[in-house]
Structures are given as structure tokens and as C-alpha cells.
Amino acid sequence: MAEIISVRFRSEGKQYYFDPQGLECHPGDGLIVETASGIEYANCVRGNFTLAEAELAAPLRPVLRHATKEDMQVVERNREKEKYAFKICQEKILEHNLEMKLVNVECSFEGTKILFFFTSEGRVDFRGLVKSLAAIFHTRIELRQIGIRDEAKMLGGLGICGRPFCCASFLRDFQPVSIKMAKTQNLSLNPTKISGTCGRLMCCLKYEQEAYEDLMKDAPRMDSFVETPDGAGTIISVNTLREKVRVRLDDEPDSLKTYHNSEIRVIRSGKGKRPEGYVEPPKEELAKLRKVTESPEDQYRREQAALAAALDDFLAEHGSRQHQESHGSHSSRRRRGDKGKKAEQAEKALEAAVEREKEKQEAKEKSRRRRGGHGKKETPETEAGKQQPETQNPPVEGKKEGTSRRRHRGGRGRGHGAGAPNPEQIQQTAQEKAKKPQQPKADHAEGKNEGGKNNRPRWHKRGHRRGGGGKPTPPAEG
């Protein structure tokens, strides 16, 4: 692999490969390169890239350096010198009475040679012209005859399509164009319509020639005798690109009908006599040749049905509720506009509210469990329940002891569930209460400590105010 760059000496010229010699070049850079005719100024078209050495025809010439300001000044002086030389050469052509047309003038970078390009219909003896120009410019003079297509490439212009000439913009080499290409593409053979500004056949005839050749392999020929869904007839015209033909039916010679290439059956290709002993098939058999075309509505329904079936197959293969929900969140992000943003914000707020509600429920459950384990003292019923053997009320698997106790306290009188005392426990508890002596209740007026909470009278708890001296005020009568 060799590292090379591509340069161009003129804006409309051909591209050439050069060896950068380790220099880093970019498109648009001005370079000083070494050529067969000396040192020249060139513009970089493509920067450093690699190419197989087998594809390189000859050893590459080197790039000397990047162009400096002094080099650009030399180039500008040469452009002015070219304009002056063009004017002088036209005067000398008229002076020597030569039948030639001057096209362009190029001056070398070092100024050692001036090249004149001209066109002519025949050979021209320009020896006297060369002597006159050499006496004026005192340098090497070279005259080169070019063709009319090269003239259009150098001068440039706009074609009948309204775009710049292909040869002046992107075509590197001229491709051979023949009148047969115009016939293959069913174009008018009028020279003014198929010729370019240069007077030669248009270069764009070559672009579509391969496509037409592929289509012509399956297309029927003109004046062929064919069978159609409506009967037998003769081909009058062929539309190669649309793959359609116009047929004049034998039964209806005054009308022409258009058919697709797949709807006809060729009996005789090209001109000639009608086949002897030919019998036209019945209409029912010919009707089978007709190509069924769908209406736009039927085609739309078929496409929608196929899309729905493909979506069902995809969901059946990859889909699940969790998968759909995850993709639903992604689809909501694809919404555009304020409505999509508001919907996404509402979804986020709803999710946050659900999370907060879950946290509250968990906190309540934890506090309820703590209160259930340490809130109240054990009552005689629970103590009696503990003294019962495990065979009478076995614990439920997977549940803690505290849970059954809480259910016993909260579910009293709801039946014999988990944690509820059985009839034997209730009877034993009642017997223990009967044996235990009852203590008289302490009067509310006589408390253990004077001034304590137990000393407060019953009516004080109902919201009555106290009187002076710290003694309670009795309620008003009436």
C-alpha cells in the first residue's frame, strides 16, 4: 500500500496522483509539485489516502512543498500574463490570416513555456505564428490543436438541462456516444434535440444505456403479432421504461389499447406475415392473461392487515406485560409537544404518590406490630391460654406468637379462630375469678396522694372550673 494524494492543475482538468513525501495535505491546499515539464502549481483535491501499488501505473512524482505567499504572487502574475498573451495571439492570427480559433492560453509556473490551445477544421501551418510569438515573449511557444468537446470542457457553460456541462464539472474522460443509443432509448433522431452545445451527441446518452439494454431483453419488438386479454393484434409502440405496449386489435382496428408486457403472448416477433393456420383462442382463455391490479383502497387494507399480523407475531414472540410496560415508558418519551411532557409529568407524580402511600402503610404496619408486642399486660385469659397444652390449640405454621396474641385480643367474641380461647379456657378462667376475693373499689374522693390525679372529683373531669383557695367549685344547681 502506498500513501498518495490527488491534485488538479486546472479547475476543469483531470486529477493526478502524487507522492506527498510525508507531507499532510488537505483538500483545497496549494502545492508545488514536480512534473515532466518542470515545476508546477496544483490544488489538492483529496488528502492523504492509501492505494494498492498494483493500481498505480507508473512511479509517482513527488510533492515539493506547500505553496507560500510568494508562490501565490507568481501564480497571479502568470494569470495576467496569460490574458496578455491571449490578446497578442489573436492579433497575430488575423495578421497571418490563419483559419483557427484560439481557445485558451496556459503559462508554466516558472514562466519558461507558454501553451496555446486552438481548434480548426483541418491542418494549419502555424510556423510563422510561432516565430512572431517567440519574438514578443522571448520564451518557448507551443501550439496544440484540440477537439470541439475539449473546447467546451475548457470554456464551460450550461446545457439544455440547465446545469453546468458534465465535462466541465465531474467527467474525467469522454465516453464514446453513438446514434444507436438514441434509437435504443426511443429518442427523437433530430440532431438539435440529442446534441449538446459542442455540436456532438450529448454525453448523458451514455448514462442510461445499460438500463435500457437490460429492459430491452424482456421487451417485445415493434410490429410483433401478439395475443392480449381482449384478442389478437399488432404492437404499434413500446414504452421500455414503463414496460408497456400499445396494440391495435384485429377485431377493433380503429382503437389502440395499452397492456403490460406480462399481459401479452408473442406469436410472431418483429415484422412478417401472420402465421399460417393460426386460430385465435377463445375469449375465456385469453382473459386469463389479464393482470389483476388492486385498487388503492384494497392495497391499503392489505398493507394494514399485514402490518397488524406482523405486530401480533412480534408481541407473541417477545411480548409480556412487563415488556410492554417497559416499552410503554419509552413510547411516552417519544411524544412531542406540551401534551407529551404534561402526560409524562403526570405519570411521574402518580408514581411518586403511590410510593409515598406504600411507605405510610409500611410505617403503620411496623408501629402496629410494636404496639401489639409491648402494649398491654397479659390478662388472665391469655395466661390461661398459655397454660393449655399444645395439643389442644397448636400454633399455625408461618405465623409468630405475637400475631396470634394480637388476633386473640382484637378478635374477642368473633369465634374460635387463631388465638381465640376455646370453651374450656373460658370455663377455667371463670372458676378462677369466682375463687379470687373481690376488693372494694376506692372512692374517687379519697386518693392515695393528696392533690394527685386520683384526688380529683368526678365532676371536675367534666370541664368545671375550680374556685379560689384550691377547693373545687360545686356545679350550679338548676
Side-chain angles (χ1 to χ4, degrees):
M1 302 296 288
E3 184 180 6
I4 60 175
I5 62 171
S6 179
V7 301
R8 182 180 289 166
F9 295 98
R10 296 286 175 175
S11 59
E12 72 282 350
K14 186 179 178 180
Q15 295 184 13
Y16 299 89
Y17 293 147
F18 280 84
D19 186 2
Q21 297 289 332
L23 295 176
E24 186 177 356
C25 304
H26 301 281
D29 293 347
L31 303 174
I32 304 299
V33 298
E34 180 182 348
T35 64
S37 58
I39 298 175
E40 293 291 342
Y41 170 83
N43 290 317
C44 181
V45 178
R46 185 178 178 184
N48 301 58
F49 65 99
T50 57
L51 190 66
E53 296 182 358
E55 300 182 10
L56 301 176
L60 300 179
R61 294 187 177 274
V63 176
L64 300 180
R65 65 179 187 276
H66 286 279
T68 61
K69 293 183 179 179
E70 292 76 9
D71 296 331
M72 298 303 298
Q73 292 176 0
V74 173
V75 172
E76 292 296 331
R77 288 197 297 268
N78 290 336
R79 296 291 180 269
E80 295 177 359
K81 188 176 181 180
E82 290 173 358
K83 296 179 181 179
Y84 175 72
F86 189 88
K87 181 179 180 182
I88 296 299
C89 185
Q90 282 185 330
E91 294 176 357
K92 294 299 179 180
I93 289 173
L94 295 176
E95 182 179 344
H96 290 79
N97 195 17
L98 299 175
E99 295 182 358
M100 55 185 297
K101 178 183 177 182
L102 186 63
V103 177
N104 196 10
V105 179
E106 291 183 2
C107 183
S108 64
F109 178 75
E110 297 177 331
T112 58
K113 183 180 67 173
I114 301 177
L115 184 61
F116 296 89
F117 296 93
F118 70 94
T119 58
S120 177
E121 295 181 0
R123 295 179 60 88
V124 179
D125 184 8
F126 48 77
R127 289 177 291 180
L129 177 63
V130 172
K131 293 180 181 180
S132 300
L133 295 175
I136 297 174
F137 296 103
H138 303 283
T139 186
R140 181 182 175 183
I141 303 299
E142 182 177 345
L143 276 77
R144 185 176 299 176
Q145 186 175 0
I146 61 176
I148 192 171
R149 300 179 76 180
D150 295 308
E151 178 186 1
K153 182 176 182 179
M154 285 186 177
L155 299 179
L158 299 178
I160 59 175
C161 59
R163 296 179 58 85
F165 292 159
C166 299
C167 56
S169 55
F170 62 88
L171 279 184
R172 297 184 180 181
D173 300 320
F174 291 105
Q175 299 293 333
V177 184
S178 62
I179 196 67
K180 182 181 178 181
M181 297 180 180
K183 294 180 179 179
T184 304
Q185 300 175 24
N186 293 329
L187 298 177
S188 174
L189 300 182
N190 187 354
T192 59
K193 292 185 178 181
I194 59 177
S195 300
T197 308
C198 59
R200 300 292 187 266
L201 293 175
M202 293 186 295
C203 299
C204 54
L205 293 177
K206 180 69 176 178
Y207 301 160
E208 301 178 359
Q209 179 62 20
E210 295 181 0
Y212 274 94
E213 290 177 355
D214 293 339
L215 293 174
M216 288 295 292
K217 294 178 181 179
D218 300 329
R221 298 175 59 183
M222 285 281 294
D223 299 327
S224 298
F225 183 74
V226 296
E227 292 177 351
T228 67
D230 299 324
T234 305
I235 295 178
I236 301 303
S237 62
V238 180
N239 191 333
T240 308
L241 291 180
R242 295 182 180 272
E243 298 182 357
K244 292 184 178 181
V245 294
R246 299 187 71 183
V247 180
R248 177 183 285 115
L249 300 177
D250 294 345
D251 298 340
E252 302 176 7
D254 296 336
S255 62
L256 300 178
K257 293 188 177 182
T258 305
Y259 301 95
H260 195 269
N261 291 348
S262 60
E263 296 180 333
I264 62 175
R265 183 188 301 161
V266 179
I267 305 300
R268 184 203 67 215
S269 180
K271 294 183 179 180
K273 296 181 179 180
R274 187 167 180 169
E276 297 181 0
Y278 172 76
V279 179
E280 184 176 342
K283 296 292 185 180
E284 292 78 9
E285 183 178 351
L286 294 177
K288 297 179 181 179
L289 297 175
R290 190 178 301 278
K291 183 180 178 181
V292 179
T293 57
E294 293 181 331
S295 62
E297 297 179 357
D298 296 340
Q299 184 178 4
Y300 176 77
R301 294 193 189 96
R302 181 176 56 81
E303 293 176 356
Q304 292 296 323
L307 182 61
L311 182 60
D312 293 341
D313 295 342
F314 177 79
L315 294 178
E317 183 178 357
H318 305 282
S320 63
R321 179 167 297 182
Q322 182 178 1
H323 188 73
Q324 292 176 1
E325 290 177 357
S326 62
H327 280 274
S329 61
H330 291 293
S331 61
S332 63
R333 295 174 186 172
R334 298 192 190 101
R335 299 170 183 168
R336 297 180 179 178
D338 297 337
K339 294 182 179 180
K341 294 180 180 179
K342 291 180 180 179
E344 187 175 357
Q345 293 176 359
E347 290 179 2
K348 291 182 179 179
L350 181 59
E351 292 177 0
V354 171
E355 292 294 334
R356 288 196 299 270
E357 189 66 24
K358 288 182 179 180
E359 293 177 359
K360 289 181 180 180
Q361 293 294 337
E362 292 177 359
K364 289 181 180 180
E365 184 67 21
K366 290 180 180 179
S367 62
R368 189 173 65 84
R369 290 177 182 177
R370 287 197 295 268
R371 287 196 303 271
H374 307 285
K376 295 182 180 181
K377 296 182 179 180
E378 294 181 352
T379 59
E381 293 82 351
T382 57
E383 292 178 358
K386 286 183 179 180
Q387 294 176 2
Q388 294 295 329
E390 296 179 0
T391 56
Q392 296 180 3
N393 190 14
V396 182
E397 294 181 4
K399 296 185 179 180
K400 296 182 180 180
E401 183 181 355
T403 306
S404 63
R405 186 181 298 111
R406 287 197 300 274
R407 288 187 176 180
H408 167 69
R409 291 170 182 169
R412 188 177 299 171
R414 296 184 181 178
H416 306 289
N422 51 26
E424 296 179 359
Q425 293 177 351
I426 296 174
Q427 185 177 3
Q428 185 178 357
T429 304
Q431 292 176 2
E432 289 178 0
K433 285 184 178 182
K435 293 178 182 179
K436 189 175 181 180
Q438 297 182 358
Q439 297 179 2
K441 294 183 179 181
D443 192 3
H444 290 282
E446 297 177 0
K448 295 180 181 180
N449 300 325
E450 293 183 5
K453 292 183 179 180
N454 293 335
N455 256 348
R456 295 178 181 175
R458 190 176 299 174
W459 50 264
H460 176 69
K461 295 181 180 180
R462 299 175 183 174
H464 297 286
R465 60 184 178 82
R466 290 178 178 273
K471 295 181 180 180
T473 306
E477 296 181 359

